[in-house]
Amino acid sequence: MRAHLTFDEAEQRELRDAARAEFPGNPALAYVLENLAAEGIDLDRCRDWDDIRAEKGLPEHDGGAQGVA
Protein backbone atom coordinates (compact mmCIF):
# COMPACT_ATOMS: atom_id res chain seq x y z
CA MET A 1 0.00 0.00 0.00
CA ARG A 2 1.40 3.37 -0.99
CA ALA A 3 0.65 6.32 1.23
CA HIS A 4 1.60 9.87 0.37
CA LEU A 5 0.61 12.95 2.34
CA THR A 6 0.08 16.00 0.15
CA PHE A 7 -0.89 19.57 0.93
CA ASP A 8 -3.35 21.72 -0.98
CA GLU A 9 -2.23 25.13 -2.26
CA ALA A 10 -3.42 27.04 0.82
CA GLU A 11 -1.64 24.59 3.15
CA GLN A 12 1.53 24.81 1.04
CA ARG A 13 1.46 28.60 1.26
CA GLU A 14 0.94 28.49 5.05
CA LEU A 15 3.80 26.00 5.50
CA ARG A 16 6.15 28.08 3.36
CA ASP A 17 5.26 31.27 5.22
CA ALA A 18 5.70 29.56 8.59
CA ALA A 19 9.06 28.10 7.55
CA ARG A 20 10.35 31.50 6.47
CA ALA A 21 9.03 33.25 9.58
CA GLU A 22 10.18 30.65 12.12
CA PHE A 23 13.62 29.90 10.69
CA PRO A 24 15.04 33.13 9.24
CA GLY A 25 18.50 32.30 10.61
CA ASN A 26 18.47 28.75 9.27
CA PRO A 27 17.78 28.80 5.53
CA ALA A 28 18.56 25.09 5.18
CA LEU A 29 15.78 24.12 7.59
CA ALA A 30 13.37 26.57 5.95
CA TYR A 31 14.24 25.02 2.57
CA VAL A 32 13.53 21.49 3.83
CA LEU A 33 10.16 22.54 5.22
CA GLU A 34 9.28 24.40 2.03
CA ASN A 35 10.28 21.33 0.02
CA LEU A 36 8.05 19.11 2.17
CA ALA A 37 5.18 21.50 1.56
CA ALA A 38 5.67 21.28 -2.19
CA GLU A 39 6.51 17.58 -2.51
CA GLY A 40 4.43 16.11 0.29
CA ILE A 41 5.60 13.25 2.50
CA ASP A 42 5.97 9.61 1.46
CA LEU A 43 4.51 7.91 4.52
CA ASP A 44 5.81 4.51 3.39
CA ARG A 45 9.36 5.77 3.93
CA CYS A 46 8.72 7.18 7.42
CA ARG A 47 10.24 5.40 10.41
CA ASP A 48 8.83 5.36 13.90
CA TRP A 49 10.74 5.26 17.19
CA ASP A 50 10.55 1.46 17.32
CA ASP A 51 12.21 1.23 13.89
CA ILE A 52 14.97 3.60 14.95
CA ARG A 53 15.51 1.76 18.26
CA ALA A 54 15.84 -1.57 16.38
CA GLU A 55 18.32 -0.03 13.90
CA LYS A 56 20.46 1.21 16.80
CA GLY A 57 20.30 -2.12 18.63
CA LEU A 58 18.40 -0.65 21.57
CA PRO A 59 15.91 -2.72 23.56
CA GLU A 60 12.23 -2.47 22.73
CA HIS A 61 10.29 0.27 24.50
CA ASP A 62 8.49 -1.15 27.53
CA GLY A 63 5.46 1.15 27.18
CA GLY A 64 6.04 2.69 30.61
CA ALA A 65 6.80 6.27 31.49
CA GLN A 66 9.05 8.22 29.15
CA GLY A 67 12.69 8.39 30.15
CA VAL A 68 13.98 11.82 31.07
CA ALA A 69 17.55 12.99 30.71
Side-chain angles (χ1 to χ4, degrees):
M1 180 174 125
R2 305 233 354 120
H4 194 88
L5 176 65
T6 57
F7 303 99
D8 65 28
E9 289 182 30
E11 290 171 320
Q12 288 180 24
R13 189 171 34 259
E14 288 177 18
L15 288 168
R16 286 187 185 108
D17 291 345
R20 292 176 188 144
E22 295 297 321
F23 304 105
N26 192 340
L29 184 54
Y31 170 79
V32 168
L33 294 174
E34 288 185 35
N35 191 46
L36 286 175
E39 304 274 329
I41 302 167
D42 183 357
L43 298 175
D44 291 327
R45 294 184 60 196
C46 291
R47 301 178 301 159
D48 64 18
W49 285 114
D50 292 331
D51 295 335
I52 295 169
R53 292 177 73 80
E55 289 172 12
K56 301 293 182 186
L58 299 171
E60 290 185 23
H61 189 266
D62 64 7
Q66 295 293 324
V68 181

